[in-house]
Amino acid sequence: MSATTARHIYSKLDADGTLTVGIAKQNLPEPTGSRVLIEVEATPVNPSDLGLLFGSADLENAQFDDGTITAQMPAPALRAMQGRVGEAMPVGIEGAGRVVAAGDDEAAQKLMGRRVACAPGGMYATHRIVEARDCMTLPDDVSAELGAASFVNPMTALGFTETLRAEGGKGIVHTAAASNLGQMLVKICAEDDIPLVNIVRSDEQVKILRDIGAKHVVNSSDDDFFARLKDAIGETGAMTAFDAIGGGRMASTILTAMEQVASANDKYSRYGSSVMKRVHVYGALDLSPIELTRSFGFVWTVSGWLLMPFLTQAGRDTVERMRARVRDNLTGMFASQYSARGDLSAMLRRENALSYNAKKTGEKFLVTPNG
């Protein structure tokens, strides 16, 4: 097999703050050893991709011109991103496609002609070379569309429950809970009998979760939000939160509600309750600083949570068990829904870019790189 000409989306930030997102061509060599060449059929736009793709660049006033987006990055963000200045970075964490060429290693040859899913990065591309060990073979009844999002959201949701168990927690509080990931977590917790408190921001999102069986759903837009949150935490005993919002006062609000529940029947202590309260921040829907109003004692933590470091610490046996559960439930519990689809050029059109970059519930874009 000769070299394959592939196209991929890149994101490049210049020293003056100019962000350029476009499509580049690359000649990929024939795969050797344990490597395989995948013809990418489907790859989702996840919130975790948008930080690299656009960051906080001004898309509303960007220039969209024949498959290229040119936008300006705010000065504070530019200072934080100095490490990527001048580098054209490939984008797209995960996807699925067909193996069309393979090295002579047995593991690679076994994948020849099979549809696989993987998450090596750089998947907004027509073709991608990856290691065979990083591929998950998809069942025959699973389409590329279903397999495309088999890593980030499913493994993150399962990672939450694994983290909860490792920390000895009883229940979970989850923000931005009507997302694809949040809906998966509702189903996981129901199956695993884990109490779950879901925080959303609209009545429409409340209905979405109620319709799939969520018991505790609280709307942060309601006047009595804090009282309802405290009641739900009291019923579930949830003292571990996973926060997709990041900025603002949500983490502080959750910790305060947890503390009031934990200390309700205790004798007064100026140090607060002795119950550990945890908020793991795993997203940045709000890019403002995290504001903590100290009304929750001293026994608490606010920490960052990322999928890849978690998987590294969890160990191979735990990761393989998680992947097997995902693979066995791709048509049910871990199925993702998409509101729009398009090839690489369509992904960079103004109406599509503004839509998926808004991160609205129910508006998820699926890239089909080869049309």
Side-chain angles (χ1 to χ4, degrees), residues 204-252:
E204 179 185 9
Q205 293 172 341
V206 171
K207 184 178 185 304
I208 289 172
L209 295 187
R210 294 287 191 198
D211 286 348
I212 62 172
K215 181 178 180 182
H216 301 284
V217 188
V218 290
N219 184 350
S220 62
S221 298
D222 289 342
D223 292 338
D224 60 350
F225 163 62
F226 183 79
R228 288 179 177 269
L229 175 62
K230 191 169 69 170
D231 288 345
I233 291 173
E235 288 185 44
T236 59
M239 294 290 160
T240 300
F242 292 90
D243 178 28
I245 298 171
R249 298 185 178 182
M250 182 56 76
S252 187

Side-chain angles (χ1 to χ4, degrees), residues 47-63:
S48 50
D49 292 305
L50 295 173
L52 177 58
L53 187 66
F54 300 133
S56 53
D58 181 9
L59 278 196
E60 287 287 346
N61 296 302
Q63 180 178 349

Side-chain angles (χ1 to χ4, degrees), residues 17 56-58 72-79:
S56 53
D58 181 9
Q72 192 65 30
M73 191 71 71
L78 177 61
R79 289 193 293 270

Side-chain angles (χ1 to χ4, degrees), residues 62-352:
Q63 180 178 349
F64 292 79
D65 183 24
D66 193 26
T68 301
I69 301 173
T70 307
Q72 192 65 30
M73 191 71 71
L78 177 61
R79 289 193 293 270
M81 296 180 179
Q82 285 299 305
R84 61 167 289 188
V85 167
E87 185 176 353
M89 306 186 73
V91 195
I93 294 174
E94 63 180 339
R98 189 80 63 177
V99 174
V100 295
D104 56 10
D105 184 86
E106 181 180 0
Q109 284 294 313
K110 283 183 177 179
L111 297 179
M112 188 63 193
R114 299 300 303 273
R115 178 172 282 145
V116 300
C118 57
M123 288 297 284
Y124 296 155
T126 57
H127 298 79
R128 183 75 165 85
I129 292 179
V130 302
E131 287 287 339
R133 67 172 177 269
D134 295 329
C135 296
M136 180 174 71
T137 304
L138 296 175
D140 293 337
D141 64 339
V142 173
S143 66
E145 178 173 317
L146 286 172
S150 62
F151 183 78
V152 174
N153 284 345
M155 295 293 276
T156 298
L158 288 174
F160 291 169
T161 61
E162 293 289 340
T163 299
L164 179 75
R165 295 186 184 99
E167 294 175 346
K170 178 181 178 182
I172 292 173
V173 178
H174 185 219
T175 68
S179 64
N180 269 359
L181 188 157
Q183 294 179 50
M184 291 178 187
L185 186 62
V186 168
K187 297 171 185 176
I188 293 168
C189 288
E191 189 170 284
D192 293 358
D193 197 25
I194 296 173
L196 175 65
V197 178
N198 301 277
I199 298 177
V200 297
R201 65 178 187 274
S202 71
D203 289 338
E204 179 185 9
Q205 293 172 341
V206 171
K207 184 178 185 304
I208 289 172
L209 295 187
R210 294 287 191 198
D211 286 348
I212 62 172
K215 181 178 180 182
H216 301 284
V217 188
V218 290
N219 184 350
S220 62
S221 298
D222 289 342
D223 292 338
D224 60 350
F225 163 62
F226 183 79
R228 288 179 177 269
L229 175 62
K230 191 169 69 170
D231 288 345
I233 291 173
E235 288 185 44
T236 59
M239 294 290 160
T240 300
F242 292 90
D243 178 28
I245 298 171
R249 298 185 178 182
M250 182 56 76
S252 187
T253 299
I254 293 170
L255 288 171
T256 300
M258 289 176 173
E259 172 64 17
Q260 290 189 15
V261 170
S263 61
N265 297 315
D266 286 352
K267 292 181 179 180
Y268 169 78
S269 168
R270 64 182 183 276
Y271 301 115
S273 74
S274 60
V275 175
M276 174 57 73
K277 300 161 288 291
R278 295 182 171 91
V279 174
H280 298 287
V281 179
Y282 76 96
L285 294 176
D286 183 340
L287 295 174
S288 67
I290 297 175
E291 300 179 44
L292 296 179
T293 304
R294 292 292 301 279
S295 55
F296 35 80
F298 282 81
V299 186
W300 54 272
T301 66
V302 175
S303 61
W305 193 99
L306 280 175
L307 177 59
M308 295 310 296
F310 164 77
L311 294 177
T312 299
Q313 296 171 7
R316 178 171 292 274
D317 289 345
T318 297
V319 173
E320 287 305 314
R321 172 167 49 79
M322 294 166 63
R323 290 185 68 174
R325 187 173 183 183
V326 173
R327 184 174 56 248
D328 293 343
N329 292 277
L330 282 174
T331 60
M333 181 186 297
F334 298 116
S336 291
Q337 307 297 322
Y338 301 96
S339 59
R341 298 161 178 77
D343 62 12
L344 298 180
S345 296
M347 179 184 172
L348 301 185
R349 291 180 190 141
R350 177 182 175 84
E351 63 273 18
N352 291 329

